[in-house]
Amino acid sequence: MKRLLAATESVAAFFLLLIALLTAANVTLRDLASVQIPDWFDGSKLLMAIALFWGIAVATYHAGHIAVDIVWEHLRPRGRRVLDIIAGLVTLAFLVPMAWMVFAKVLTSGTQATSDLRLPLMWFTSIAACGAVAAAVLALARVIELVRGHDPHADPVSDDSGLDALRRAKEAADERRPAAP
């Protein structure tokens, strides 16, 4: 499981890096040499789609997506686990059809290509579809872990707000700081 997660994180990070490099190179060449990288706009859009699908996989497994915890914060640990399981199942119910539809897009892209370099879109949509499948698989893995009663991302030290965690970190830093002479 750790290898799958590390690979997923690496793919998402790699494609984000490619987007940044492509954009920076295009802006630099446009300003300095008055030339443009062929298909840079199409390429950046396609790379962004890949990074988003793989990023969704990472965020789903780590429960790092945007969440409103109005109800969750007022529940006891058992209620929180039940709510996490329900949220995981709802997420899974959306990610599985999404992965299916992205693969359907791959199969129907045929000979479509980018405008300048005529790069086949199937290459990009295939990688994005693999990211969508990874998102569904990691969502299922997270639900299974929650059902088993194990949440690898829960803070083992405390379950309080971020402000308390910041306060504890500041106190720990103050303790390490040498006393003034």
Side-chain angles (χ1 to χ4, degrees):
M1 188 61 179
K2 289 182 181 181
R3 286 183 182 174
L4 174 63
L5 193 57
T8 304
E9 291 168 345
S10 296
V11 170
F14 175 73
F15 282 100
L16 280 175
L17 176 65
L18 285 180
I19 295 165
L21 291 175
L22 178 63
T23 303
N26 188 61
V27 168
T28 302
L29 287 173
R30 187 179 61 212
D31 289 345
L32 296 179
S34 296
V35 295
Q36 209 167 278
I37 296 174
D39 276 337
W40 79 270
F41 186 69
D42 289 338
S44 64
K45 288 190 307 184
L46 293 166
L47 293 173
M48 180 63 76
I50 294 169
L52 283 172
F53 280 115
W54 286 90
I56 288 170
V58 173
T60 298
Y61 185 77
H62 287 301
H65 46 275
I66 297 171
V68 179
D69 295 335
I70 294 172
V71 175
W72 189 86
E73 287 180 357
H74 298 290
L75 295 173
R76 295 183 181 171
R78 180 169 157 57
R80 289 178 178 184
R81 191 170 134 250
V82 169
L83 188 59
D84 285 343
I85 291 170
I86 292 169
L89 289 171
V90 169
T91 302
L92 184 63
F94 282 100
L95 289 177
V96 169
M98 181 187 73
W100 177 265
M101 294 310 297
V102 173
F103 261 108
K105 175 65 177 165
V106 170
L107 296 175
T108 61
S109 63
T111 59
Q112 293 177 359
T114 60
S115 58
D116 295 335
L117 298 176
R118 304 301 299 158
L119 298 173
L121 293 183
M122 184 176 274
W123 297 350
F124 297 98
T125 55
S126 297
I127 298 170
C130 290
V133 169
V137 168
L138 289 175
L140 178 62
R142 178 156 176 78
V143 168
I144 290 170
E145 287 180 357
L146 288 169
V147 167
R148 289 182 178 168
H150 180 258
D151 185 2
H153 311 297
D155 184 4
V157 176
S158 85
D159 195 19
D160 51 1
S161 72
L163 292 176
D164 290 336
L166 287 173
R167 180 186 45 79
R168 283 193 314 278
K170 183 182 180 311
E171 289 171 358
D174 290 342
E175 290 173 7
R176 288 190 299 261
R177 190 175 299 134

